[in-house]
Amino acid sequence: GNSVTQMEGPVTLSEEAFLTINCTYTATGYPSLFWYVQYPGEGLQLLLKATKADDKGSNKGFEATYRKETTSFHLEKGSVQVSDSAVYFCALMGNQGGKLIFGQGTELSVKP
Amino acid sequence: DTGVSQNPRHKITKRGQNVTFRCDPISEHNRLYWYRQTLGQGPEFLTYFQNEAQLEKSRLLSDRFSAERPKGSFSTLEIQRTEQGDSAMYLCASSFAGTGTYQPQHFGDGTRLSIL
């Protein structure tokens, strides 16, 4: 069945450091891929998405490229801020829509 | 757009009691989803509706769990004879699905269930 694997956290970075959170997936067909973020005490928010191979999703300085050849959707940001501290979830949705399948989440802590 | 609303925010109950949660989706969304999230894990799918029809149920959804969306608007999730293992955050999400198009899901803040 479909599945998502994320790098384990927590990830601790200094402000202005470069961020990469790895995400790989297993799926049949052509899934859509998402990154959701959960700030402390808040609900899940959609960060970015990509619906087909080679699409790049971007938002708030974060980017991720849908790589079908490596079945990956790694999240990157060039310069993190303290306010980016949160838990990040990679997720996929099958090509018929429906449920999201999430990775286990990666906690990011950014220190001043 | 008032977002997805879930009530209550917190529920504490004794083992063996029944509980019911409510979710009000974004008004123009025709799909409504339920997920369960335990500490340190990603959300796990439970079930989803398109309008009032329940289209898929997870194997996680034992016979103690039942969900309804009677008029295609709000939904309720009921857990009967609660067990310690039911303690979790229950998340609701909604989205719009058209012919061949599937919009991203928007999540509520969740209902945290604690079983004593």
Side-chain angles (χ1 to χ4, degrees), chain A residues 14 38 66 77 103 106 109:
Chain A
S14 297
Q38 192 168 35
Y66 187 160
K77 186 174 185 182
T106 302
S109 177

Side-chain angles (χ1 to χ4, degrees), chain A residues 36 38 43-44 46 49 89 93 95-100 102-104, chain B residues 31 33 35 37 40-43 45 48 56 91 102 104-105 107 109:
Chain A
Y36 281 82
Q38 192 168 35
L44 279 167
L46 177 67
K49 68 179 175 74
F89 294 93
M93 180 173 69
N95 58 348
Q96 296 302 314
K99 64 190 176 192
L100 286 169
F102 286 86
Q104 75 271 30
Chain B
R31 285 193 173 181
Y33 306 78
Y35 294 84
Q37 185 179 21
Q41 300 298 314
F45 170 76
Y48 87 96
E56 186 176 354
L91 299 172
Y102 308 101
Q105 295 175 30
F107 283 79
D109 288 340

Side-chain angles (χ1 to χ4, degrees), chain A residues 76-87:
Chain A
E76 297 182 334
K77 186 174 185 182
S79 176
V80 293
Q81 306 300 311
V82 172
S83 57
D84 294 326
S85 298
V87 182

Side-chain angles (χ1 to χ4, degrees), chain A residues 1-3 25-31 68 71 92:
Chain A
N2 295 348
S3 66
Y25 68 90
T26 302
T28 54
Y30 304 94
K68 193 164 179 63
T71 61
L92 73 79

